[in-house]
Amino acid sequence: MNQDLILDAAFALVERGGSEALTLRRLGADLGANHTAVPRHFASKDETPRGLADRLIARAMEDFVPAGGWRETLETLARRMRTVCVAHPRVAVPVATRIARRGAEFHGADVVIGALRTAGFNDSDAARYYCSVVDTIPALAAYEACDANLSKAPREGDQRSWRRREHLAIPPDRYPDFAAVALGSCGRGRPVLDDPGSGVGRCRAESKQVMIRRRHGPGPQMS
């Protein structure tokens, strides 16, 4: 038994039953070992969720090759992380905010910071925007993973709410701006964060450019 085998088993256990299923007894049973042997391979119980977070990053980084441009590199990495989180929502949601402090996370950090330095940011700004990137990507990915964690009925109910008449019945005297756009929004469905046509990704990118210009002047161009 070693850490890799234990984390693989923990990942599979959470995939099946959610984070509440991750107990020493269940983990020991899946490993075919006495559950008291599991903690001996970790300095603390906190290493397990951090290890699971690193497992997610490792899946996103598997066979990753930086693209030709720095922006394309960051976009590709973000989409990979989103794909992994949505594919493994029961693991992604409880560990989304964790700092893994392990190899896959270090690899991802090196790629992101390298892309930002290639864009022309100095080391201080590259470190600052690295923090923004690695906060934003898991947050958005975890948002979609939460949606994926819902059972079919409530998830479809939420999706249908964007197409129903509730929006059309909004009192314009109380919610004038919402009512003004409700007719146009009805029938389109809920925006998807990874859909290039939704404008969500472009909005995020343009907002980041505005923030950079305000704080640091023109600087490197986000294009």
Side-chain angles (χ1 to χ4, degrees), residues 53-65 76-85 88 104 107-108 137:
D54 202 61
R55 280 289 196 276
L56 285 175
I57 299 171
R59 294 186 181 216
M61 296 298 299
E62 186 175 0
D63 299 324
F64 177 75
V65 178
T76 301
L77 191 57
R79 291 180 186 278
R80 277 172 163 253
M81 195 67 205
R82 179 255 181 194
T83 298
V84 168
C85 288
H88 306 283
H107 181 196
I137 293 173

Side-chain angles (χ1 to χ4, degrees), residues 99-223:
I99 307 299
R101 291 166 265 174
R102 288 170 173 259
E105 183 181 74
F106 296 153
H107 181 196
D110 194 64
V111 169
V112 171
I113 293 171
L116 291 170
R117 294 181 73 200
T118 297
F121 291 103
N122 62 42
D123 290 350
S124 178
D125 285 344
R128 180 180 299 112
Y129 293 125
Y130 160 75
C131 292
S132 296
V133 168
V134 299
D135 283 347
T136 301
I137 293 173
L140 294 173
Y143 174 89
E144 290 197 64
C146 284
D147 186 65
N149 261 339
L150 291 173
S151 59
K152 183 178 180 180
R155 183 171 64 251
E156 290 183 349
D158 287 349
Q159 291 290 338
R160 285 195 301 269
S161 71
W162 288 80
R163 299 184 175 90
R164 288 177 174 172
R165 298 182 60 85
E166 286 97 328
H167 287 181
L168 298 179
I170 294 170
D173 57 327
R174 294 183 62 185
Y175 312 108
D177 294 311
F178 195 1
V181 302
L183 182 60
S185 68
C186 255
R188 294 183 182 179
R190 184 175 184 173
V192 178
L193 295 176
D194 199 46
D195 178 6
S198 71
V200 178
R202 180 174 295 277
C203 180
R204 292 200 307 270
E206 290 178 355
S207 296
K208 178 66 71 177
Q209 292 181 51
V210 169
M211 182 183 73
I212 291 172
R213 285 196 296 268
R214 286 178 176 174
R215 292 182 61 177
H216 302 285
Q221 296 300 305
M222 303 285 282
S223 61

Side-chain angles (χ1 to χ4, degrees), residues 31-46:
L31 289 164
N34 190 302
H35 68 277
T36 61
V38 174
R40 301 172 191 167
H41 296 271
F42 298 93
S44 72
K45 65 179 182 180
D46 190 54

